[in-house]
Amino acid sequence: MTATAPITQDVLTIPRKLPEGPANIVGLTRDALRNALITAGTPERQAKMRVNQIWQWVYFWGVRDFAAMTNLSKDYRAMLAKHFVIEVPEVVTREISADGTRKYLVRIAGGHEVETVYIPEEDRGTLCISSQVGCTLTCSFCHTGTQKLVRNLTAGEIVGQVMLARDDLDDWPKPGEGMGDRPRLLSNIVLMGMGEPLYNFEAVRDAMKIAMDGEGISLSRRRITLSTSGVVPEIARTATEIGCLLAVSFHATTDEIRDRLVPINRKWNIAALLDALREYPKLSNSERITFEYVMLKGVNDSDEDARRLVKLIRGIPAKINLIPFNEWPGAPYERSDWSRIEAFADIVHKAGYASPIRTPRGEDIMAACGQLKSATERARKSRAEIAAEAGL
Ligand code: SAH
Ligand code: SF4
């Protein structure tokens, strides 16, 4: 076994062994950074100013070297270099699709790997980030759900994905010119990569707070969308503590089918989920909730399903994002026919909801929704295991 191979193949979250030595600044909230600076010897009356200065260097300019922080004294820089590092996860491989989509395989502490995907579009550039290695949930149509190894990412590893993508895209402001007239290449974040973000709430929250901070990366909360499979007890907190947009992996219109597709439904069923969703826009003062709906041939794609769907969500400001199923090796489903997807979209649209059909991006590099699973993570649940867990 090499030094970078996964430590164990445990199904449960592995308690994280923090690396010894200097602390990583990336991922610390402003308060945590302040405390860390004081512990390292910064006088309390200076702490706030030092946090502001370091914050700007790290998150506005993208600087990784204390020596470049020219508005700090040499002694202070030396002190920082002794106690801290500024580190983002390492990019192991980068693949670029024919359509411009970029998929990064990213190595985090302990040798685990996750995937991050950059999707350029005409008017925006969206980064799809991961919140866990693998996923403890086992949605039966999702490739990530077949990965056995799971651990939560730290806040630094989550916001670090944004930073490493900006490095690769050369998307940081340049000294002297700031952002100039350049449009931001990375303008939006979706938490739709590997993992269930609401099962790693604190780290996701801290990372998104850092990404939204106006003195740094400064992305508006309306440009961040968190997708959940339906962890009902954490939905209100998402509104009040993060305030970003919400997407929900709905995927079915009866509990019977949703139990099979999204097994967390057995814990919080459609009615419980809808109750939580009704409160979300009020709590977060935000607009529509995105209902994600994967189109699976003969499973959830009938006209009747479409009609049931619009009835269920009545009263919730919503947009329905139809996702043609992205196939992966061994997947137990097929993509609905195009004409079926269009007929479904039509019913939803006529009921007054936007119903865009999501164009699969980066399919040639297996970067599309639900295809993510680190290539080097070989532990795989068998078809029989997936079927049994999904009650197929
Ligand atoms: N765990 C979170 C976020 C990651 S998945 C969640 O489940 O919401 C992002 C979206 O892709 C979800 O709606 C998910 O259900 C969907 N998805 C998963 N596998 C897919 C596949 N093979 N084809 C199309 N969409 C898929
Ligand atoms: Fe996990 Fe989301 Fe995949 Fe379900 S769809 S297994 S919650 S990553």
Side-chain angles (χ1 to χ4, degrees):
M1 201 193 256
T2 66
T4 53
I7 310 167
T8 83
Q9 314 247 305
D10 204 322
V11 221
L12 299 171
T13 301
I14 300 161
R16 218 174 106 68
K17 187 170 165 283
L18 286 169
E20 317 243 312
N24 192 5
I25 282 186
V26 177
L28 297 181
T29 60
R30 279 179 178 268
D31 284 346
L33 177 56
R34 181 175 186 276
N35 292 339
L37 292 177
I38 292 171
T39 307
T42 305
E44 265 198 65
R45 64 193 147 70
Q46 286 181 13
K48 192 171 173 206
M49 179 175 68
R50 298 292 173 235
V51 168
N52 285 336
Q53 289 169 318
I54 296 166
W55 195 274
Q56 276 216 345
W57 285 116
V58 174
Y59 297 115
F60 182 80
W61 296 106
V63 159
R64 302 288 150 75
D65 185 357
F66 294 110
M69 302 185 176
T70 45
N71 58 353
L72 300 174
S73 75
K74 273 216 163 105
D75 287 351
Y76 195 69
R77 283 184 255 163
M79 183 287 284
L80 289 175
K82 198 171 131 208
H83 291 96
F84 301 98
V85 290
I86 308 166
E87 273 177 6
V88 301
E90 175 198 353
V91 175
V92 185
T93 58
R94 182 191 72 173
E95 288 172 87
I96 304 186
S97 154
D99 68 15
T101 300
R102 292 174 182 221
K103 182 169 84 170
Y104 306 97
L105 179 65
V106 171
R107 180 172 297 147
I108 57 173
H112 305 301
E113 286 162 353
V114 293
E115 289 177 337
T116 307
V117 178
Y118 174 71
I119 307 147
E121 286 174 281
E122 208 127 282
D123 58 340
R124 66 176 73 179
T126 304
L127 193 71
C128 178
I129 61 181
S130 294
S131 55
Q132 298 183 309
V133 178
C135 186
T136 51
L137 301 172
T138 51
C139 303
S140 50
F141 52 88
C142 174
H143 204 201
T144 307
T146 69
Q147 186 168 319
K148 276 191 173 173
L149 185 71
V150 177
R151 91 149 159 85
N152 280 335
L153 266 58
T154 62
E157 290 161 348
I158 298 170
V159 74
Q161 294 170 66
V162 178
M163 297 166 76
L164 65 85
R166 290 194 92 193
D167 291 350
D168 184 53
L169 298 164
D170 193 19
D171 196 32
W172 294 101
K174 302 255 191 299
E177 58 175 86
M179 282 308 272
D181 290 335
R182 285 189 298 149
R184 290 181 77 138
L185 295 175
L186 197 169
S187 63
N188 293 64
I189 294 175
V190 293
L191 281 146
M192 294 188 186
M194 296 162 68
E196 168 49 61
L198 296 191
Y199 273 155
N200 187 13
F201 187 86
E202 281 80 12
V204 166
R205 176 197 58 204
D206 291 351
M208 291 306 104
K209 288 248 170 207
I210 293 170
M212 292 187 283
D213 189 295
E215 304 293 309
I217 300 170
S218 198
L219 283 175
S220 141
R221 66 188 187 90
R222 295 203 155 78
R223 289 185 173 271
I224 299 176
T225 303
L226 182 152
S227 174
T228 181
S229 58
V231 185
V232 165
E234 305 292 339
I235 288 179
R237 283 179 83 195
T238 307
T240 55
E241 296 182 37
I242 308 177
C244 60
L245 302 183
L246 188 73
V248 62
S249 296
F250 208 64
H251 303 324
T253 59
T254 64
D255 281 321
E256 192 208 336
I257 301 293
R258 197 163 190 273
D259 280 351
R260 284 201 279 150
L261 298 181
V262 190
I264 201 175
N265 195 67
R266 296 176 198 156
K267 202 157 182 181
W268 296 290
N269 65 13
I270 292 179
L273 177 57
L274 289 171
D275 281 346
L277 295 178
R278 270 178 229 289
E279 294 303 310
Y280 193 85
K282 291 174 230 158
L283 291 173
S284 66
N285 186 27
S286 71
E287 310 89 41
R288 298 176 299 181
I289 291 176
T290 301
F291 283 75
E292 298 164 279
Y293 199 97
V294 64
M295 299 298 292
L296 304 170
K297 193 180 213 161
V299 177
N300 63 354
D301 61 353
S302 68
D303 285 354
E304 208 189 337
D305 279 304
R307 285 192 284 268
R308 252 196 313 261
L309 176 62
V310 294
K311 214 166 144 195
L312 280 171
I313 65 174
R314 195 169 286 160
I316 303 177
K319 156 173 123 183
I320 288 103
N321 215 329
L322 299 175
I323 318 175
F325 175 58
N326 294 309
E327 297 187 2
W328 39 271
Y333 300 102
E334 282 177 82
R335 179 182 289 184
S336 307
D337 294 333
W338 199 252
S339 56
R340 184 86 299 273
I341 301 179
E342 284 185 329
F344 194 105
D346 204 45
I347 294 174
V348 174
H349 185 75
K350 288 212 171 93
Y353 295 98
S355 55
I357 302 170
R358 193 185 286 173
T359 334
R361 297 292 303 264
E363 277 187 302
D364 51 339
I365 54 170
M366 286 276 286
C369 271
Q371 289 186 328
L372 303 185
K373 173 175 164 171
S374 47
T376 49
E377 173 49 67
R378 295 191 207 290
R380 186 185 188 292
K381 289 174 196 162
S382 68
R383 242 181 218 219
E385 276 177 283
I386 299 166
E389 280 167 357
L392 293 175

